[in-house]
Amino acid sequence: MRKRGVKTPKGRRNSGIEEDLSKVAGLNIQDKSPVQTIEDYQCCGSLDVDFPEVCALLGMTEIPVVTPRPKTTTSQNAEQSPMEGSQSNVASSAESAPWCPKNRLQVELENEEDPLSAREVRVLGWKIDETIAQALNKTLPSLSNLQRLHLWQAGLTERTLTSLKNTVSLCHSLRTVALEGAPLPEQCFHLLIGEDSKLVHLSLRNNWIGEEGARLIGGALSTPRGANKSLLSLNLTFNSIGDAGAKHIAKGLRLNRTLLCLSLGSNHIGDVGAGYLAEVLGPFALTQEEIVERRRLLGMKDSQNLSSDSKVEHPASIPSSSSLDRSMTKGSKTASKRKTQTKKEEKQAPSQVGGASGKKEELKAKKDTKVPRGRGTKSGGKDRSPSALELESGWPQNKTVEVPLTVSPLVDTDVQYSDGQVLLPGNNVLTSLNLSGNRLTERSLRLLLKVVKEQDEGGGLLRLSLSRNRFSLLNCETYLRIQEVMKQKDPLNKNISRPKEEEQGQTDKNLVDSGESNQNIQHKEGHKQTLKQ
């Protein structure tokens, strides 16, 4: 107990307070300089620490709370359909999370004991303004394990969506984004699926996407000049795409060879829109713009082949006898000159021999080590791409060869020519198509049945959802035929039927073996009776 009137040292009294403030406000104890801007703030990778500090630096008074979210189990993921495998259910997450009066960020950790293992971030039911978008742009890229971002009724605008797009591009491991219940007047959702996008799964459910939004999304999927090469699944259910929007989506599927799953359920699509989609799944005629682009790509391909053929190294020509005689005479003259030079160098002083003679010897060594050039070689140390002849003869292993990727399916060689049109093979990469909850009749089902039958066994649709349309699932003969064809193509049904066939074969074999054994027993008993008689 300290005596009355004895004061404690000022540094000792304030040391604990300074440490607490340094944790909250980012103070540096050594130089006493606080972090005043978010550019100077260094994120530690823990969202519950970084996000409040960044919001405080931005001048926010009401800072959203960062709360943990229960980890999603594998059984819950297994119950979801393949189209919704990457996007979880909003209602279940809202029920599982505890109630909080403030706006909050829900964080799911890979390891509950490690705060740096955040793999999913959710914003449910509150508006993300420009300040919050700026805070997310600062903190989310520091989460090295972030895989999913789910925004539901976040009240985005075109500016905040652009900021979100930049944030997604900065997150190296983020591959799944769900932006749902956030209609935009500009309908600029296509910003998330540009050619430079790295997203693999994207859900845009319930965003009031109409014809204009579908046009922008279709243009982002593919154009004659380029296509998205990363997106595997796109969920557009519960929008207002309609027949006109389905035409734009089908146009985006013409030259896209990456997208595997597409969900267009509950979008007011009728027989006309389904006809546009069925057209791109089979062979279709190229437009004038696509034909021009095809000719340009083929011309570039031919020029590359010609340039690679011209770079093939040709063997040097065999010298004639006269050229050999000339080289011999030149060799004798150079040898005599070298002898006279060596005699002169021996008469020189030791200092000169150590300086000038050393340089001359280096120059001579460089000249002697020169390799004679052939006709096809060029001076310079630039690496060049190997030709086909060099690859066959054995290109050195230490040199990396960049194999050019196929830029567009327009250069496909399996084209057909009919009635003055160029027919390109249809989209054989799309494996899952959801058209449930629309306005399809048996008229469009006939087109889909024809396409499904014509598609190859090695590709094409494996799942086609057509429930809740304007036909009877039990009495429509065309729908039942489609289901039979899809069952034959579904790999899951094939895997299930194989064990059944093996079990049936084993039971048949057991029955045969038991029948043979019974016959043998009866034959032996009859033989014994004959011996007794």
Side-chain angles (χ1 to χ4, degrees):
M1 184 176 181
R2 68 181 180 86
K3 296 180 180 181
R4 186 177 182 181
V6 178
K7 296 182 180 181
T8 58
K10 186 176 181 180
R12 184 184 301 174
R13 184 172 57 193
N14 295 334
S15 61
I17 298 174
E18 287 180 353
E19 290 178 1
D20 294 336
L21 290 175
S22 65
K23 293 180 181 179
V24 176
L27 290 173
N28 192 348
I29 301 298
Q30 296 179 356
D31 55 3
K32 306 292 183 177
S33 59
V35 178
Q36 297 180 355
T37 60
I38 61 172
E39 287 78 10
D40 300 332
Y41 181 81
Q42 299 294 330
C43 295
C44 65
S46 178
L47 197 62
D48 55 351
V49 175
D50 294 333
F51 188 75
E53 294 187 2
V54 172
C55 291
L57 291 174
L58 291 173
M60 294 182 59
T61 56
E62 297 182 0
I63 300 175
V65 182
V66 179
T67 59
R69 179 178 176 271
K71 187 176 180 181
T72 305
T73 59
T74 56
S75 60
Q76 292 177 356
N77 291 333
E79 292 177 357
Q80 296 175 353
S81 61
M83 181 62 67
E84 300 177 354
S86 59
Q87 298 91 5
S88 53
N89 194 354
V90 180
S92 61
S93 63
E95 292 175 359
S96 61
W99 180 81
C100 183
K102 296 183 179 180
N103 297 335
R104 59 180 174 173
L105 287 178
Q106 296 185 15
V107 182
E108 180 180 331
L109 301 177
E110 183 73 24
N111 184 6
E112 295 181 357
E113 298 179 356
D114 185 8
L116 304 180
S117 62
R119 70 174 185 179
E120 183 178 1
V121 176
R122 288 171 171 254
V123 177
L124 304 181
W126 54 279
K127 183 178 180 179
I128 296 180
D129 54 11
E130 295 184 9
T131 307
I132 294 293
Q134 190 176 0
L136 294 176
N137 191 13
K138 178 67 177 179
T139 55
L140 292 185
S142 64
L143 306 179
S144 58
N145 197 37
L146 183 62
Q147 302 174 10
R148 297 188 296 271
L149 178 62
H150 194 165
L151 305 179
W152 178 66
Q153 291 186 355
L156 297 178
T157 61
E158 184 179 6
R159 296 185 63 177
T160 54
L161 182 61
T162 304
S163 176
L164 177 64
K165 180 246 183 185
N166 297 330
T167 303
V168 170
S169 63
L170 294 175
C171 299
H172 300 290
S173 59
L174 182 60
R175 295 293 179 268
T176 301
V177 171
L179 179 57
E180 301 172 347
L184 291 174
E186 301 84 2
Q187 299 191 9
C188 52
F189 300 100
H190 66 287
L191 297 175
L192 298 174
I193 50 177
E195 289 189 31
D196 57 344
S197 175
K198 298 179 181 179
L199 290 181
V200 178
H201 307 285
L202 178 62
S203 177
L204 297 174
R205 299 187 301 176
N206 198 15
N207 287 327
W208 298 358
I209 299 176
E211 179 182 355
E212 179 63 18
R215 183 186 67 83
L216 297 174
I217 292 174
L221 289 176
S222 76
T223 60
R225 289 283 181 172
N228 180 281
K229 297 179 177 61
S230 62
L231 193 65
L232 298 182
S233 67
L234 178 60
N235 194 342
L236 296 174
T237 56
F238 300 107
N239 286 289
S240 302
I241 292 177
D243 291 336
K247 181 179 181 180
H248 296 297
I249 299 295
K251 186 177 180 180
L253 295 176
R254 290 170 69 91
L255 303 178
N256 184 289
R257 296 298 181 268
T258 307
L259 191 66
L260 299 178
C261 302
L262 176 62
S263 180
L264 295 173
S266 302
N267 269 283
H268 312 292
I269 298 176
D271 292 335
V272 178
Y276 292 132
L277 296 170
E279 181 181 356
V280 299
L281 298 178
F284 56 86
L286 296 180
T287 62
Q288 183 65 27
E289 183 183 2
E290 292 170 344
I291 292 174
V292 172
E293 181 65 17
R294 171 180 165 82
R295 291 175 180 174
R296 188 184 70 86
L297 294 175
L298 291 177
M300 292 176 58
K301 186 177 179 181
D302 294 339
S303 62
Q304 289 177 0
N305 293 334
L306 290 174
S307 61
S308 62
D309 293 338
S310 63
K311 289 182 180 181
V312 177
E313 295 183 359
H314 298 283
S317 59
I318 300 173
S320 61
S321 59
S322 60
S323 61
L324 287 173
D325 294 337
R326 293 174 184 173
S327 62
M328 291 294 288
T329 54
K330 290 181 180 179
S332 61
K333 291 180 180 179
T334 53
S336 61
K337 288 182 181 179
R338 287 176 184 174
K339 288 180 181 180
T340 56
Q341 287 176 357
T342 52
K343 288 180 181 180
K344 290 180 181 179
E345 289 172 359
E346 289 175 357
K347 293 179 181 180
Q348 289 178 351
S351 61
Q352 293 177 354
V353 172
S357 64
K359 294 181 180 179
K360 290 180 180 180
E361 288 178 359
E362 291 179 1
L363 293 173
K364 288 179 182 179
K366 290 181 180 179
K367 290 180 180 180
D368 293 335
T369 54
K370 282 185 178 180
V371 181
R373 277 189 257 163
R375 294 181 182 176
T377 57
K378 294 182 179 180
S379 60
K382 294 183 179 180
D383 295 334
R384 59 180 180 82
S385 58
S387 61
L389 182 61
E390 290 172 340
L391 290 174
E392 293 178 0
S393 60
W395 187 251
Q397 296 294 330
N398 57 355
K399 291 189 178 181
T400 58
V401 180
E402 295 183 357
V403 181
L405 299 176
T406 303
V407 178
S408 172
L410 290 174
V411 297
D412 196 345
T413 57
D414 295 335
V415 297
Q416 300 177 0
Y417 301 93
S418 175
D419 297 334
Q421 294 181 340
V422 182
L423 300 180
L424 190 71
N427 190 329
N428 211 28
V429 177
L430 189 68
T431 59
S432 177
L433 179 60
N434 181 13
L435 293 175
S436 59
N438 284 291
R439 302 172 180 176
L440 276 62
T441 64
E442 192 172 0
R443 174 187 171 187
S444 58
L445 293 185
R446 296 191 189 98
L447 299 176
L448 294 172
L449 177 61
K450 180 181 178 181
V451 170
V452 169
K453 285 184 176 180
E454 292 177 353
Q455 285 183 335
D456 299 332
E457 295 181 357
L461 287 179
L462 300 178
R463 292 185 178 180
L464 181 60
S465 301
L466 298 170
S467 60
R468 294 182 287 111
N469 277 282
R470 295 183 177 179
F471 57 85
S472 175
L473 298 179
L474 300 177
N475 300 326
C476 184
E477 182 180 356
T478 308
Y479 172 74
L480 297 177
R481 292 174 63 184
I482 290 176
Q483 293 300 106
E484 292 177 358
V485 175
M486 300 309 296
K487 284 182 180 179
Q488 296 176 359
K489 298 179 65 175
D490 193 351
L492 297 178
N493 291 332
K494 292 181 180 179
N495 295 331
I496 294 173
S497 62
R498 286 178 181 175
K500 290 183 178 180
E501 292 176 357
E502 292 178 358
E503 292 177 359
Q504 184 67 26
Q506 187 67 30
T507 54
D508 295 340
K509 184 179 180 181
N510 294 333
L511 290 174
V512 172
D513 294 339
S514 62
E516 291 180 353
S517 60
N518 292 333
Q519 290 179 359
N520 293 332
I521 293 171
Q522 291 177 0
H523 181 71
K524 289 180 180 179
E525 290 180 355
H527 184 65
K528 289 179 181 180
Q529 291 178 0
T530 53
L531 290 176
K532 288 180 181 180
Q533 292 177 357

